[in-house]
Amino acid sequence: MQPTTVATLFSVCLIGGLVGGIVLLVLPHTRQQFVAGASRLAALVAVSATAGSLYFSEVADFVPCQLCWYQRIAMYPMAVMLPLAVRWSDPGISRYAIALGAGGLVISSYHIYVQWF
C-alpha cells in the first residue's frame, strides 16, 4: 500500500475520532456512559496513532526526527494501557493518560511551531 493511501486513511480516522469526540460531548448521557465512550475513543486513537507511526517508520521507511521520537514516547504506552483500562473498566488510568497526553501535546505543539517557523 502506498504511503499517501495510508496517510489518507489515517486522516479519515482522525476526522472520525474528532467527530466521535464532538458527538460524545453533545449527546445527552450519564457520566458513566460518557467515561466509557471517551475511554473507548481514546484507546482507539492511541492504537491508531501508534499503528500509523510504526507503519510510516518501519514499512514506508520515513525516518522520524528527534521530536517525533519524544512524541512516540508519550503515545506508545497509551496504546497498551488504554485498551487494557477499557477491558478492565479501570477509571484510575485517566490520571496517567492525561499526564502522558499533556506531555505529548507540549512536544507536539513545539514540533509544529518548529516546522512552521
Side-chain angles (χ1 to χ4, degrees):
M1 194 178 299
Q2 296 295 324
T4 54
T5 305
V6 175
T8 303
L9 173 68
F10 282 112
S11 298
V12 169
C13 289
L14 172 67
I15 292 169
L18 290 172
V19 169
I22 292 168
V23 167
L24 274 173
L25 290 174
V26 173
L27 289 179
H29 42 66
T30 65
R31 176 168 161 52
Q32 186 177 9
Q33 290 171 330
F34 176 78
V35 169
S39 298
R40 287 186 188 101
L41 184 61
L44 180 64
V45 168
V47 170
S48 298
T50 298
S53 72
L54 287 173
Y55 170 82
F56 285 117
S57 64
E58 300 301 320
V59 177
D61 292 325
F62 292 164
V63 178
C65 69
Q66 187 175 10
L67 290 172
C68 290
W69 278 114
Y70 292 145
Q71 289 172 258
R72 289 174 182 207
I73 290 170
M75 179 56 64
Y76 286 0
M78 289 200 292
V80 174
M81 65 185 202
L82 288 176
L84 290 175
V86 169
R87 172 70 176 104
W88 294 330
S89 301
D90 183 6
I93 201 74
S94 62
R95 291 183 296 224
Y96 306 112
I98 289 171
L100 282 170
L105 177 65
V106 169
I107 296 167
S108 175
S109 299
Y110 178 69
H111 194 180
I112 291 170
Y113 171 78
V114 166
Q115 288 184 331
W116 282 3
F117 304 107

